[in-house]
Amino acid sequence: MEYLETDHVRPSADGESVIYLDQSLLPGMEEWKKCSEIREMYDAIKRLEVRGAPCIGIFAGYCMAVRAALLAKKEGNAAGLLSELKKEAEYLNSSRPTAVNLSYVIGLMISRAENALAGDGSISPKNLSELLMKEAERVHLEDIDMCAKIAENGLSLIEDGYGILTHCNAGPLATSRLGTALGPILLGKSRGMEFHVYADETRPLLQGARLTSYELSKAGVDVTLICDNMAASIMKQGRIQACFVGCDRVAANGDTANKIGTLGVAVMAKHFGIPFYVLGPKSSIDISCGSGADIVIEERSPEEVKLGYFSKPSAPGSVRCYNPSFDVTDHELITAIITDGGILRPPFHQSIGSLFNE
Ligand code: MRU
C-alpha cells in the first residue's frame, strides 16, 4: 500500500520493528529511526520523537503488533503471548497521560487479541500477531479517513483569504495525512484557496515553530511564525478570522485538553469575537471524563523551559519552574468542535451525547 511507503510511522517490511521520523530533530534534521524493544518505544513517545495525539495512537498500534510478532517467537501459546503483551501495553500506556489516543488504541489492540483468543483458543502465537498487525493497519487507515472528513467539515467554515491562527502542531506529522487543525487549510490549498496562517511558536518545545511552519511552508501555504505572546496583538489588528487548534482529550461536556497555551488563545479569541474551533477525531472524545477537571495533565521537566532550544540557559539553574505540557480550554470558549462525525455546537454535552448515541 502506498501509505506504508510514505508515512512517517510505519512497520518495517518484516514486521519486527516500527520505523518513524524523529520529530524532536525537525526541522534541522530528517532522521528516521527504528525500534523493536518496548523500552525504545516508550522513550520515543516520552521524548516526543513521536508526538501529536493521533500519531501516538497509530505508533502505539504498530508497537503492539511488532511486540506481538517478537513475543510470538518465544511464547509457546497465544495465551502466554497475550499475558506478556498486556504487561508491555501497561508500560507503554504510562509514557504520556494526557492524549486519550494512546490508551484508546492500546485498548483496541488488547481487546482484538482477547476476542481472537476467546473465539479460537488454539490460535497460534504467529497468527495472533498477524491479526494484530492488521488491526494496527486498520487504525492507521481509519485515521487517514477521519482526517479527510475533519478537513472537509472544517473547510466549510472558512473562506478564501482568511487569516487563521493555530497553536502547537496538529498537522500531518501529528496524525497520518492531512492532520486535524491544519487539514482544512491543506485541503483548501489543494483546491486553489489561499489562507494566511499565523503559527504560534508554542513554548517550550516549539512545535509551532519547528513543525507547523515547516509543514505549511513545504505545502506552499502562506505562513507567518509568531511568538506566543504576539497573538493578542495580531488579533487586535484584525488579521485573524478563525482559530484552529487540535485536541488531546475532549471531555463529555466539551472541555478540551490541548497543548499548553491553547486556553490563552481561546480567551483572547473570545475577547476579540473571533471563532475558536477545536478539530479532532471522534476517538479524541473521552466520554468517561465528565469535564476537564477529570483530565490528567502531563508535567514535564523544568529543563525544557530553562534550556530548551536556547544555546545558553535562559534562567538561573536553581529557579523553581512549572512546566505543564497541556491546559484545558473551558467549553464556554469553544465555538465548535469539528470531528469526522460532524460539526458539534454548544451545548456540547448534548451534541457530544448525540454523536455517541448515533
Ligand atoms: O506534546 P505534543 O506535541 O504531543 O502535543 C500535541 C498537541 O497538543 C496537539 O495539538 C494535539 O495532540 C492534537 S494533534 C492532531
Side-chain angles (χ1 to χ4, degrees):
M1 264 179 284
E2 192 234 336
Y3 85 91
L4 289 180
E5 272 123 48
T6 55
D7 270 357
H8 58 90
V9 168
R10 58 176 187 262
S12 58
D14 63 7
E16 295 190 1
S17 49
V18 188
I19 300 171
Y20 64 92
L21 179 63
D22 182 346
Q23 297 191 40
S24 70
L25 302 175
L26 290 172
M29 251 196 284
E30 289 189 10
E31 191 173 311
W32 291 84
K33 289 192 174 159
K34 242 183 179 190
C35 57
S36 299
E37 298 305 323
I38 192 70
R39 177 73 213 213
E40 298 170 317
M41 294 165 173
Y42 175 99
D43 286 345
I45 297 177
K46 185 86 189 166
R47 293 180 186 147
L48 272 60
E49 293 177 1
V50 174
R51 50 138 311 272
C55 178
I56 293 171
I58 295 164
F59 179 72
Y62 284 132
C63 288
M64 288 291 93
V66 160
R67 289 306 305 158
L70 295 169
L71 289 168
K73 292 184 163 178
K74 291 194 245 164
E75 293 294 332
N77 59 58
L81 188 164
L82 180 55
S83 149
E84 282 308 303
L85 195 64
K86 278 183 176 172
K87 287 183 211 154
E88 296 197 355
E90 202 179 317
Y91 173 62
L92 195 66
N93 195 23
S94 68
S95 54
R96 293 192 79 189
T98 306
V100 67
N101 310 62
L102 177 61
S103 56
Y104 173 74
V105 175
I106 288 177
L108 283 181
M109 298 297 287
I110 296 297
S111 306
R112 185 75 189 90
E114 280 172 345
N115 290 342
L117 212 65
D120 173 8
S122 62
I123 186 171
S124 71
K126 186 166 184 295
N127 285 353
L128 184 64
S129 75
E130 284 169 0
L131 193 140
L132 288 179
M133 184 56 83
K134 287 209 174 71
E135 181 68 356
E137 288 183 357
R138 190 195 62 74
V139 166
H140 192 168
L141 286 171
E142 189 179 61
D143 187 75
I144 294 172
D145 183 53
M146 289 188 302
C147 287
K149 289 180 176 147
I150 292 167
E152 284 291 355
N153 289 337
L155 189 57
S156 72
L157 297 169
I158 52 177
E159 290 171 24
D160 199 20
Y162 260 30
I164 298 170
L165 185 124
T166 190
H167 190 76
C168 193
N169 172 262
L173 285 165
T175 61
S176 48
R177 280 279 163 80
L178 281 169
T180 56
L182 300 190
I185 296 163
L186 294 170
L187 185 64
K189 176 77 189 173
S190 75
R191 293 179 183 168
M193 295 169 80
E194 295 295 341
F195 303 109
H196 309 291
V197 180
Y198 289 85
D200 276 354
E201 69 175 346
T202 318
R203 285 269 288 142
L205 294 181
L206 309 185
Q207 287 92 334
R210 295 187 304 104
L211 308 175
T212 297
S213 64
Y214 163 84
E215 284 186 321
L216 291 179
S217 315
K218 267 195 160 187
V221 173
D222 176 62
V223 55
T224 304
L225 175 65
I226 57 170
C227 298
D228 300 327
N229 53 5
M230 297 171 187
S233 161
I234 303 279
M235 287 184 186
K236 193 171 179 177
Q237 291 167 28
R239 297 201 214 183
I240 306 296
Q241 281 68 52
C243 298
F244 274 6
V245 299
C247 51
D248 287 83
R249 194 182 294 248
V250 179
N253 70 346
D255 288 352
T256 295
N258 191 49
K259 178 54 55 194
I260 189 77
T262 304
L263 170 60
V265 173
V267 170
M268 290 185 265
K270 180 102 175 172
H271 179 76
F272 291 109
I274 298 166
F276 179 88
Y277 298 113
V278 168
L279 297 95
K282 184 180 167 189
S283 53
S284 289
I285 303 175
D286 181 358
I287 48 168
S288 74
C289 279
S291 76
D294 301 326
I295 301 176
V296 177
I297 299 295
E298 175 184 10
E299 206 176 314
R300 296 182 62 88
S301 158
E303 303 315 310
E304 290 181 349
V305 176
K306 294 198 263 181
L307 297 171
Y309 288 86
F310 296 107
S311 56
K312 291 187 189 134
S314 67
S318 58
V319 74
R320 188 181 312 117
C321 177
Y322 174 49
N323 183 19
S325 193
F326 299 92
D327 58 27
V328 174
T329 299
D330 309 85
H331 61 273
E332 292 91 344
L333 299 171
I334 300 171
T335 309
I337 301 173
I338 303 167
T339 74
D340 48 312
I343 299 171
L344 311 180
R345 300 268 181 190
F348 291 116
H349 67 276
Q350 274 174 18
S351 50
I352 290 176
S354 313
L355 184 69
F356 280 85
N357 289 327
E358 269 169 8

